[in-house]
Amino acid sequence: MPVYNDWASASELVRNLDVALAGKGWRVQVIAVDDGSIAPPPDAIVGLSAIELVEVVELETNLGHQRAIATGIVHAYNSGPFDRLAIMDADGEDTPEALVQLLEAAQGDDGLAIVAQRAERSEGFAFRLFYQVYIRLFQLLTGKRIRFGNFMVLPHGHVRRMVHVPNIWNNIAATLVHSRLPVRYVPTVRGRRYAGSSSMGFVGLVLHGLGAISVFAEIVFVRMLIASLAVLGSAGVGAIMVVALKFLTDTAIPGWATNVMGFLVSIALQAAMVPVLLAFIVLGNRSSIQVLPIDMAPRFIRDCRPLHGLMARADAAE
């Protein structure tokens, strides 16, 4: 779980997780990724019984939500063997009860990623409107549907693949869709924040959406190329019709042909320039060396320290 300053919510979530996981018989460890917080984490979280270890992974700087998650995934992968990795926010909107739902669904599906699909949402009207626009735009540009966010449970095999995929720096959910790994949806209800307000404003939401679309950059390029060619062809047909009306009919509207031809030429030039620019961007990206999370993520980690379960970690090290 990534945390930026909101340690009050993160601590409450860990305690509520401990209650929700009690009696399940699972061995659970929690990794809180400190994404360059100004506020320090608590010295300890006491009174836990179901959770064996709570570890704070302190980053050198603020990487942003998605990159903090990617760094946490790599740290978990490098820390040792596990059956499943859960990714969730630390503010309470991803509830402990919903996590139990995902984990229980994962028990019989070892090869599937279990993702939370929101049956109900608690956000305001503006957020829901933007979310629907994002879903439609994502499908239009990529030809794919994305109906889930970061809240998910991944089997170890999926994690092993994803730490070697550069796209998890941009968006975890979109990378999972792009990877074609099998997914199972579990309906959940989004909770409410324990404290404070979200630090992600409208600009952050837009960048989050663009990050998801960027995972499918090559597909977006092809679809925009086809659209540009269609526009270019339509402009060509329109130009032929203008010439035909001008010279093959008796229609006489002073200046109309020149104005329409100028408009069509402008559209044609823009339609031709878009795929050219996109081609340079996409081909340049293909030829560049991709930064693998498994190699780069450890460089962002300054320190790791336990908030709970120091003896459990010491025993494991022995």
Side-chain angles (χ1 to χ4, degrees):
M1 56 178 68
V3 184
Y4 180 68
N5 288 330
D6 193 6
W7 293 106
S9 293
S11 299
E12 183 172 353
L13 176 62
V14 169
R15 287 189 287 268
N16 291 340
L17 274 175
D18 191 69
V19 173
L21 294 170
K24 297 296 183 180
W26 300 325
R27 300 183 60 189
V28 178
Q29 297 182 0
V30 174
I31 298 173
V33 182
D34 181 358
D35 189 20
S37 298
I38 298 173
D43 293 329
I45 299 178
V46 298
L48 304 181
S49 58
I51 296 176
E52 292 186 349
L53 173 68
V54 180
E55 183 181 34
V56 171
V57 176
E58 182 182 356
L59 304 186
E60 292 284 1
T61 186
N62 179 261
L63 298 180
H65 195 260
Q66 291 297 314
R67 292 185 177 185
I69 292 175
T71 303
I73 291 174
V74 172
H75 177 74
Y77 179 76
N78 289 334
S79 293
F82 54 84
D83 294 323
R84 293 173 181 85
L85 176 70
I87 304 170
M88 65 188 304
D89 287 340
D91 55 13
E93 293 184 351
D94 296 338
T95 67
E97 294 75 18
L99 177 60
V100 171
Q101 283 182 262
L102 300 185
L103 290 171
E104 289 178 340
Q107 296 302 300
D109 292 314
D110 291 337
L112 296 180
I114 311 298
V115 301
Q117 185 177 24
R118 303 301 184 191
E120 297 180 20
R121 308 193 70 94
S122 60
E123 300 92 345
F125 173 77
F127 183 94
R128 293 198 299 270
L129 176 62
F130 173 79
Y131 184 76
Q132 290 303 318
V133 171
Y134 158 64
I135 292 296
R136 301 297 186 275
L137 182 62
F138 185 91
Q139 187 170 6
L140 175 66
L141 292 176
T142 68
K144 307 290 184 180
R145 295 189 64 187
I146 185 166
R147 296 175 290 166
F148 59 95
N150 298 322
F151 192 17
M152 63 183 71
V153 173
L154 303 173
H156 188 273
H158 283 30
V159 177
R160 184 181 65 250
R161 290 170 177 261
M162 294 182 74
V163 297
H164 293 88
V165 178
N167 283 329
I168 69 171
W169 289 121
N170 295 327
N171 192 280
I172 306 299
T175 300
L176 188 58
V177 174
H178 187 268
S179 67
R180 301 179 183 178
L181 295 172
V183 173
R184 177 183 171 188
Y185 296 89
V186 174
T188 61
V189 177
R190 192 176 186 87
R192 296 189 178 275
R193 294 182 61 89
Y194 291 132
S197 58
S198 175
S199 60
M200 180 180 288
F202 179 75
V203 174
L205 292 173
V206 172
L207 292 176
H208 178 78
L210 292 176
I213 294 172
S214 71
V215 173
F216 296 85
E218 296 183 358
I219 295 176
V220 172
F221 163 66
V222 173
R223 293 174 74 90
M224 292 190 71
L225 176 62
I226 293 172
S228 297
L229 291 176
V231 172
L232 190 61
S234 299
V237 172
I240 293 172
M241 293 177 63
V242 169
V243 172
L245 289 172
K246 176 71 174 179
F247 295 103
L248 300 179
T249 69
D250 296 329
T251 304
I253 304 177
W256 74 270
T258 302
N259 292 335
V260 173
M261 282 296 290
F263 177 70
L264 292 175
V265 169
S266 176
I267 291 178
L269 289 174
Q270 294 181 55
M273 286 301 296
V274 168
V276 172
L277 294 175
L278 288 176
F280 278 113
I281 295 173
V282 172
L283 294 177
N285 184 62
R286 286 175 64 93
S287 62
S288 63
I289 298 176
Q290 300 294 309
V291 179
L292 300 182
I294 190 69
D295 296 328
M296 181 58 67
R299 301 184 184 184
F300 292 113
I301 298 176
R302 176 188 299 175
D303 189 25
C304 304
R305 67 180 181 87
L307 299 184
H308 166 76
L310 180 60
M311 294 304 297
R313 179 166 182 160
D315 292 342
E318 293 175 358

